[in-house]
């Protein structure tokens, strides 16, 4: 996806996919129980924890558009040990859906979450 188009009464707004990716990643790491985003190396099958304050936080997020011009977001996350994964993911999905739709003005069709690892928090 190169960018998203939002029609307004004054003209068109084009939002680059990297903007949505970065914003969605920052919203995700704010959620309780999310330790961080995971950078998955498909070649080696390795999962790397991305730093929360890193400019690369969006690397654990993939954005695409559906045929109905709605966003589809894929998250690769690392979850804290000892929390309910279902509760954490439900919270992540609802927060991301609300905040990204408000931020971009584009409706979200689907949010897919891939739990790549579980880490003990110090």
């Amino acid at each position: 996806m190169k960018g998203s188009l939002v029609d307004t009464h004054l003209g068109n707004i084009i939002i680059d996919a990297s903007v949505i990716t970065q914003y969605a990643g920052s919203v995700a790491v704010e959620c309780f129980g999310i330790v961080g985003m995971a950078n998955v190396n498909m070649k080696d099958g390795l999962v790397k924890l991305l730093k929360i304050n890193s400019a690369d936080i969006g690397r654990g997020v993939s954005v695409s558009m559906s045929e109905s011009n709605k966003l589809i977001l894929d998250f690769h996350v690392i979850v804290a040990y000892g929390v309910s994964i279902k509760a954490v993911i439900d919270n992540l999905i609802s927060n991301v859906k609300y905040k990204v739709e408000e931020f971009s003005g584009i409706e979200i069709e689907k949010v897919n979450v891939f739990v790549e690892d579980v880490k003990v928090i110090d």
Side-chain angles (χ1 to χ4, degrees):
M1 181 182 110
K2 186 143 181 127
S4 302
L5 180 68
V6 179
D7 291 322
T8 68
H9 66 284
L10 296 174
N12 297 325
I13 301 170
I14 298 173
I15 304 171
D16 192 74
S18 65
V19 173
I20 295 172
T21 300
Q22 285 291 116
Y23 185 75
S26 67
V27 169
V29 296
E30 291 174 355
C31 293
F32 173 79
I34 300 294
V35 175
M37 303 302 291
N39 185 17
V40 181
N41 183 340
M42 296 302 182
K43 179 181 172 191
D44 299 329
L46 298 174
V47 174
K48 177 182 170 189
L49 174 64
L50 297 170
K51 294 179 180 148
I52 289 179
N53 60 357
S54 171
D56 295 334
I57 200 71
R59 290 176 64 189
V61 182
S62 172
V63 178
S64 59
M65 284 293 253
S66 68
E67 292 178 8
S68 57
N69 288 330
K70 296 179 184 176
L71 292 174
I72 299 172
L73 303 174
D74 294 335
F75 290 86
H76 295 270
V77 298
I78 298 174
V79 176
Y81 176 79
V83 298
S84 166
I85 292 175
K86 182 178 180 343
V88 169
I89 301 309
D90 286 345
N91 181 44
L92 171 101
I93 290 170
S94 65
N95 280 345
V96 165
K97 184 168 175 22
Y98 174 75
K99 289 182 178 180
V100 172
E101 283 180 349
E102 286 294 311
F103 173 72
S104 67
I106 304 168
E107 191 175 341
I108 294 178
E109 181 173 303
K110 190 187 305 185
V111 178
N112 300 310
V113 182
F114 303 92
V115 178
E116 299 293 348
D117 202 358
V118 175
K119 295 277 186 204
V120 175
I121 300 175
D122 297 333

